[in-house]
Amino acid sequence: MLETLSERGKNELIDRLTELVVLERIYWYLAIPFTVLFIIQLATTFIGLDSADGMEGVEEGLDVDDDFEPGSTFNLFTVKNFITFFTVFGWSGITFSNAGMGNFITLLLSAILGIVVMLIVSALFYFATKLTYNGTMQIEHAKGATGKVYIPIPAKRNGVGKVSITFQDSFRELEAMTDDENSISTGTVVEVMDVVSNRILLVKKNN
């Protein structure tokens, strides 16, 4: 009888250890590849945010998906967020498993921690991108806006003047040209019709 109980105990212990080894192996299988992806994701994102090319750099840094596209709403179910979740889930599972916690508690705590960190990182990326976008001028957005001339603009694109204009919630002073037959004097209200080059507007008098 005692030998039977002893054998049963040994078998249960072996089964439990086998289960722990299998689970910990799964955690390792998740932790390592997703950590590599997370590091790549983090690097490309912040390289994009620091790019001198403005918003084009941000778009290149965020090309995995559109969860941080400027103007978009906050999206939880994205490739970036899943990478973050499984990175944290894997390492948490390894840590809690080595600490001797039960399988259910390990799974539960790892999942909770993964979700919390995923939300934090996702929010940081989102707001960092929004701030970068708001501070980056996209001159194309000036089309249709109105402003005032403060350096006269020569007629028929014979020279460049300057206008004071507000777009993208920012006050800016930009160079401008016109196709009008007459020059546009200081203080005249103008409307932006097009963009001649990267920083030069094409304007006309706003009648």
Side-chain angles (χ1 to χ4, degrees):
M1 183 69 177
L2 291 175
E3 290 181 359
T4 302
L5 291 174
S6 177
E7 287 294 327
R8 184 181 301 174
K10 287 181 181 179
N11 291 334
E12 289 178 352
L13 180 60
I14 291 172
D15 291 341
R16 184 178 178 185
L17 289 174
T18 301
E19 185 179 356
L20 287 173
V21 169
V22 170
L23 281 174
E24 187 168 338
R25 186 177 299 172
I26 292 173
Y27 291 135
W28 277 107
Y29 287 158
L30 289 172
I32 294 176
F34 278 103
T35 298
V36 173
L37 291 174
F38 180 78
I39 292 172
I40 294 172
Q41 164 187 300
L42 194 66
T44 55
T45 297
F46 282 98
I47 288 172
L49 291 178
D50 291 336
S51 172
D53 294 330
M55 200 56 213
E56 293 178 358
V58 175
E59 291 171 351
E60 291 172 3
L62 302 175
D63 59 1
V64 176
D65 50 61
D66 296 329
D67 52 338
F68 302 113
E69 182 180 348
S72 65
T73 57
F74 186 86
N75 189 0
L76 183 60
F77 300 103
T78 65
V79 174
K80 281 183 171 59
N81 290 348
F82 283 125
I83 290 174
T84 302
F85 172 81
F86 284 113
T87 299
V88 177
F89 179 83
W91 289 113
S92 299
I94 293 170
T95 302
F96 295 142
S97 179
N98 289 333
M101 294 186 178
N103 293 340
F104 176 76
I105 296 298
T106 297
L107 286 170
L108 180 62
L109 291 179
S110 297
I112 292 174
L113 191 58
I115 291 172
V116 170
V117 175
M118 178 185 71
L119 289 173
I120 293 173
V121 173
S122 182
L124 288 174
F125 280 141
Y126 178 77
F127 289 114
T129 305
K130 293 283 285 185
L131 288 173
T132 301
Y133 171 69
N134 290 337
T136 302
M137 183 183 73
Q138 289 184 294
I139 197 168
E140 292 79 11
H141 289 186
K143 293 179 183 179
T146 57
K148 283 188 176 183
V149 177
Y150 82 96
I151 293 181
I153 304 172
K156 297 182 179 180
R157 302 197 190 191
N158 287 326
V160 176
K162 283 195 174 183
V163 296
S164 302
I165 187 170
T166 299
F167 67 99
Q168 288 187 286
D169 298 324
S170 297
F171 178 82
R172 306 178 189 274
E173 295 178 349
L174 298 175
E175 294 180 334
M177 305 178 75
T178 185
D179 286 331
D180 289 0
E181 296 290 330
N182 301 312
S183 63
I184 305 177
S185 59
T186 300
T188 303
V189 177
V190 293
E191 180 182 359
V192 179
M193 305 305 298
D194 204 350
V195 177
V196 178
S197 67
N198 192 36
R199 295 186 66 86
I200 301 178
L201 305 174
L202 180 66
V203 301
K204 72 171 186 178
K205 287 184 179 179
N206 188 19
N207 298 324

